[in-house]
Amino acid sequence: MDLLAYLDGESDDQVATHLGGCPHCRERARSLGRLQSLLAARLYRYNCPSAAELGEYHLGLLPQDQRAALAYHLTECPRCAYEVTQLEDYLADLAPDVDFSLLEQAKEQVRVLVARLVNGGMGVNLLGQPALAPAPTGVRGDEGEPLIYEADGVQVVIEIHQDPDQLDRRSMLGLVIGVDDPDQLEVHLWQSDQPVATVQVEDIGNFVIPSLAPGRYELILSGAEVEIHIQELVVEIK
């Protein structure tokens, strides 16, 4: 129970002090953190339709019975309703620059998905260690916890770290999970409708975007058949 309280940020100083000096308990906490992360990712909105289904619903591509069931779900689930609204707004902004209809785009099998935030504080970081909370001063500094986004079975894990060469800048570290050939993907980062950076995903799923100024960004993971949009990533210096 003490370890669970520690992972939830509710333990007292005595537990934190003990973990600082006990490798055995520290490893138990790491293992428990991994389990919590997996459970949260599996159970979060387990009965909600996928991002692909929400997109097909908006495009009018679902069978009538499935469309009716999803329409009822939207009346009961504000999160999914918000995602459909986000997708509608995004496609409306995109429409003036597109020379073919949304249905023609669907026939071309290019799916536009809006990723949902699955886990914002218990995930395993990109160095392979669980994000234990509260973090001791000086270990994680002002770096944020990993953010895990998911769309149609693909997960994108994002971490923000201090840029080693510029104290007033940040680096974005990413990991793409659930894709057969991640090196066929590109990452496009935008800010205020302006392109900021484009990088190739490595064959093991990693990508790095250095030297980012504080602000709000949109990340687009682009492949031959799918685009996954993370509509708001906040980079800040605390």
Side-chain angles (χ1 to χ4, degrees), residues 1-14:
M1 295 297 294
D2 287 339
L3 292 181
L4 287 173
Y6 176 78
L7 291 171
D8 292 337
E10 298 175 355
S11 65
D12 54 31
D13 293 339
Q14 185 177 356

Side-chain angles (χ1 to χ4, degrees), residues 163-181:
D163 192 295
D165 299 320
Q166 303 175 80
L167 295 180
D168 61 341
R169 296 275 173 151
R170 291 292 181 263
S171 292
M172 181 180 296
L173 280 66
L175 175 64
V176 182
I177 304 170
V179 178
D180 291 335
D181 298 304

Side-chain angles (χ1 to χ4, degrees), residues 57 66-76:
Y57 170 83
Q66 190 175 354
R67 178 176 177 82
L70 201 153
Y72 176 77
H73 177 81
L74 292 177
T75 66
E76 300 290 324

